[in-house]
Amino acid sequence: MLTYDSTGFRLDGRPLRILSGAMHYFRTRPEQWPARLAALRAMGLNTVETYVPWNLHEPAPGRFERLDELGAFLDEAHRQGLWTIVRPGPYICAEWDNGGLPGWLTARVGRRARTSDPVYLAAVDRFFDVLLPQVVERQWGQPGGTVLMVQVENEYGSFGGDAAYLAHLARGLRERGVTVPLFTSDGPEDHMLAAGTVPGVLATVNFGSDPESAFEALRRHRPEDPPFCMEFWNGWFDHWGKPHHTRDADDAADSLRRILAAGGSVNLYMAHGGTNFGTTAGANHADPPFNSTDWTHSPYQPTTTSYDYDAAIDERGLPTAKFDAFRAVIEEFAAEHPELVRYLDSRVAELPPAAPVLSGREVPLSEFAELPFGPAVASPVPPLFEELGLEHGLVRYTTTVPALSSELPLTVEGLRDRAALHVDGKPVAALERGVPAETVTVGGGAQLRLLVESLGRVNYGPQVGETKGITGVRHERQYLHGWHAEPLALDPLPEAAWAPGEPGAELLARGTLHLDSTGDTFLAVPGGDHGYLWVNGFLLGRYDARGPQTTLYCPQPLLRPGPNTLTLLELGSAGPSHVVLREAPELGG
């Protein structure tokens, strides 16, 4: 049993300093979990923490998928000698699409998400009913159980102050059988701790530096709770078109040393970042360090496919300079306080061998196909993605400007997030959310076609829950009606009619990679601007020439000896002719 007071934690009556690292089971392939978790233990950590993304597990109302992955991950953590911390949301932030909230739900409840609204809470309760049994049966004290703590919501003090909502979540966790300590995590600000904490529930704080001040703020609100940094931001995430974030290893190690010296337990965020596979990457609507509240005028910034995070263990699973620096700090602390640094078992943890890397080569794209859109939906106004039942992907909107109209400017309203505008079959403009564009004028009878692409939903702040698509198109002041919308989901990609041909814009292209043996690789698209890349039907994610990452990580488990199919959708250029395998990630843009 895990207990605590102001001096620290005790597990089954003995002191314990929790040394945790964040690693999300949904950002690595299950085949990679053993090696990644073993690396955490080799760094000196005794615990692993993971979020649970609701929208991954309930992509449509009542349709639950991949639920067993959480339990399997917790079991693998036990095999690797690690205790676990589970953060089931319902909101997780995590630079994950919509902060983990299902788009179908937030489109329905709007501003009532993350409140005590009964429709929202009913959906949360249904999800927790199916999710939590695998957590409950793996709590510490159960055979094979490792779960030490479970979180209530996430950084709620940065969003709102609905105490009834937080109380409902905490009560629901207890009623469903969670007996280990519950906790909240918030920024070390008085108003955040005042609104985000729950009476009788452990409070923790999130920060990247100045632990002394952060723990002082926590003590002002919770003098009876032990100091715990639930998210020690030792790196940072990237946005498309912005520089790659790094943090000096010695600087991060110094902050870790000070956390431990202050009596704190810690969770490295991230210990291993991983990859935002598919269309799961989120977005932000504020400039770092996200302490601005000018949400309306802050730029929309989609997060990259790579979630390397400049972490101690990189996207491919290799130790970085931070790994060595953190391990040295932990070893130093353990030597001084052997009674506090305990582990689930007595194994001597060693770094696992790295996966092999494929040699560089080119894969020609030799077959092509038209985009396999679904049936057209007629509507007087352009329907949103959510109204079409589409979480992410593309929608082709078409309409005709009324006859006899004058040559007047077009305005596309509510674009989220990119679009290619064609007039009478000819491309005339590439549009992007928040980016000024040259005026396009059209006359009566013009045929309009907009291919709209969604990027990540905002995952932090009041714009969480945004919809995708367009809200309208005006011809001068007059709204255009009579729309047809054809949706295309990308994950999984529908069957297409393939044939030999030549590269072109807005076409699917594919080639075959022949392998004698498999390994990790990084895929680049020379001449490509932005688009999507699949390996053997698995959507790796978005690529974008703006960088900072100009390659996509392809893990070894996605490849097989013999022929492998690489499928490409290029949306911003005339069409690349080949995909290139690289032996290491590349930065550019």
Side-chain angles (χ1 to χ4, degrees):
M1 182 179 193
L2 182 69
T3 59
Y4 58 88
D5 58 25
S6 62
T7 64
F9 292 94
R10 301 181 75 86
L11 186 62
D12 298 336
R14 295 174 55 200
L16 174 68
R17 190 65 64 92
I18 297 176
L19 305 171
S20 177
M23 171 188 156
H24 302 152
Y25 64 94
F26 45 91
R27 282 180 160 132
T28 53
R29 300 296 301 157
E31 299 91 338
Q32 298 173 312
W33 294 343
R36 302 295 193 269
L37 291 167
L40 264 64
R41 177 66 188 269
M43 189 163 43
L45 303 180
N46 57 21
T47 305
V48 61
E49 171 269 310
T50 187
Y51 278 127
V52 179
W54 181 4
N55 53 6
L56 178 73
H57 295 302
E58 193 179 2
R63 193 179 89 220
F64 298 103
E65 297 178 355
R66 300 172 59 179
L67 283 169
D68 59 346
E69 290 184 11
L70 174 60
F73 180 78
L74 299 176
D75 291 342
E76 187 58 43
H78 180 266
R79 283 189 287 271
Q80 299 300 328
L82 293 165
W83 288 298
T84 55
I85 296 172
V86 178
R87 306 169 76 184
Y91 165 81
I92 65 171
C93 186
E95 294 72 61
W96 188 261
D97 183 62
N98 217 28
L101 298 174
W104 56 263
L105 176 62
T106 53
R108 182 187 307 169
V109 302
R111 294 178 297 108
R112 294 173 289 149
R114 302 184 74 191
T115 73
S116 51
D117 173 73
V119 175
Y120 173 74
L121 287 183
V124 173
D125 289 342
R126 285 192 298 270
F127 176 59
F128 277 6
D129 284 342
V130 299
L131 173 75
L132 289 175
Q134 60 187 314
V135 177
V136 168
E137 65 190 24
R138 290 171 173 85
Q139 295 178 103
W140 179 249
Q142 301 289 338
T146 62
V147 178
L148 295 181
M149 309 167 68
V150 175
Q151 180 168 279
V152 179
E153 237 271 352
N154 183 59
E155 296 184 320
Y156 191 68
S158 298
F159 172 77
D162 190 338
Y165 167 56
L166 293 181
H168 178 96
L169 295 180
R171 184 170 59 251
L173 291 169
R174 291 300 188 210
E175 290 173 348
R176 290 171 177 84
V178 177
T179 57
V180 297
L182 303 178
F183 69 94
T184 58
S185 66
D186 287 285
E189 306 285 343
D190 287 326
H191 65 295
M192 295 178 183
L193 287 164
T197 54
V198 180
V201 172
L202 174 70
T204 69
V205 284
N206 302 338
F207 56 84
S209 58
D210 195 8
E212 296 83 6
S213 296
F215 287 149
E216 181 182 352
L218 179 61
R219 277 192 298 272
R220 286 198 299 270
H221 291 262
R222 288 299 182 85
E224 71 278 13
D225 288 354
F228 196 147
C229 179
M230 187 52 65
E231 291 187 14
F232 168 43
W233 303 318
N234 57 88
W236 206 244
F237 53 91
D238 290 336
H239 292 126
W240 292 119
K242 303 292 183 179
H244 174 54
H245 284 98
T246 60
R247 181 177 180 180
D248 179 74
D250 290 338
D251 176 67
D254 177 69
S255 291
L256 176 60
R257 184 178 292 108
R258 291 161 57 191
I259 289 171
L260 299 178
S265 289
V266 65
N267 178 49
L268 307 178
Y269 194 97
M270 299 289 297
H272 169 62
T275 308
N276 293 315
F277 293 117
T279 57
T280 60
N284 285 285
H285 224 294
D287 286 317
F290 304 104
N291 53 12
S292 168
T293 56
D294 187 12
W295 306 101
T296 302
H297 298 101
S298 297
Y300 170 76
Q301 299 181 82
T303 301
T304 60
T305 300
S306 172
Y307 198 66
D308 178 82
Y309 210 87
D310 191 38
I313 301 163
D314 72 9
E315 186 174 15
R316 200 184 146 231
L318 301 181
T320 68
K322 281 182 186 158
F323 180 96
D324 295 328
F326 290 167
R327 180 164 62 178
V329 170
I330 293 170
E331 288 176 346
E332 173 188 303
F333 182 78
E336 296 175 356
H337 303 279
E339 75 284 0
L340 296 178
V341 181
R342 297 166 49 201
Y343 295 89
L344 182 61
D345 56 36
S346 59
R347 76 182 68 190
V348 177
E350 296 181 352
L351 268 173
V357 180
L358 298 178
S359 60
R361 68 198 76 177
E362 291 187 0
V363 179
L365 300 171
S366 57
E367 290 187 296
F368 303 88
E370 299 286 341
L371 298 181
F373 287 99
V377 174
S379 174
V381 297
L384 298 170
F385 279 39
E386 292 79 5
E387 293 171 328
L388 296 167
L390 187 65
E391 190 79 1
H392 273 296
L394 306 173
V395 174
R396 184 164 62 191
Y397 296 97
T398 55
T399 194
T400 302
V401 177
L404 306 180
S405 295
S406 304
E407 188 90 5
L408 295 169
L410 280 180
T411 302
V412 178
E413 295 185 341
L415 172 61
R416 301 191 183 100
D417 297 293
R418 284 199 284 219
L421 172 63
H422 292 71
V423 177
D424 294 330
K426 297 178 180 179
V428 297
L431 309 176
E432 189 162 354
R433 174 180 180 173
V435 178
E438 293 186 9
T439 300
V440 174
T441 60
V442 298
Q447 304 290 316
L448 303 185
R449 187 177 85 221
L450 276 162
L451 181 63
V452 175
E453 173 194 6
S454 64
L455 301 175
R457 288 180 178 81
V458 171
N459 55 258
Y460 179 83
Q463 297 199 42
V464 169
E466 65 176 9
T467 54
K468 295 298 182 180
I470 56 175
T471 57
V473 177
R474 285 187 290 110
H475 190 220
E476 203 261 336
R477 73 196 67 187
Q478 184 182 82
Y479 281 100
L480 299 179
H481 299 292
W483 289 91
H484 287 83
E486 301 163 88
L488 174 59
L490 301 178
D491 192 10
L493 185 66
E495 289 294 323
W498 295 94
E502 296 295 330
E506 299 177 11
L507 286 176
L508 291 171
R510 72 181 182 185
T512 302
L513 167 65
H514 294 277
L515 295 175
D516 295 325
S517 59
T518 63
D520 286 347
T521 188
F522 293 86
L523 301 178
V525 185
D529 185 79
H530 67 274
Y532 298 80
L533 188 58
W534 293 257
V535 174
N536 292 325
F538 180 91
L539 179 54
L540 283 184
R542 303 179 179 97
Y543 65 87
D544 196 314
R546 293 177 297 176
Q549 295 88 0
T550 57
T551 52
L552 291 182
Y553 171 57
C554 177
Q556 181 182 19
L558 296 179
L559 298 168
R560 53 190 177 231
N564 295 266
T565 301
L566 306 186
T567 305
L568 181 78
L569 171 56
E570 166 61 36
L571 292 171
S573 73
S577 61
H578 59 279
V579 174
V580 175
L581 278 65
R582 307 289 193 200
E583 297 180 19
E586 293 183 349
L587 299 176

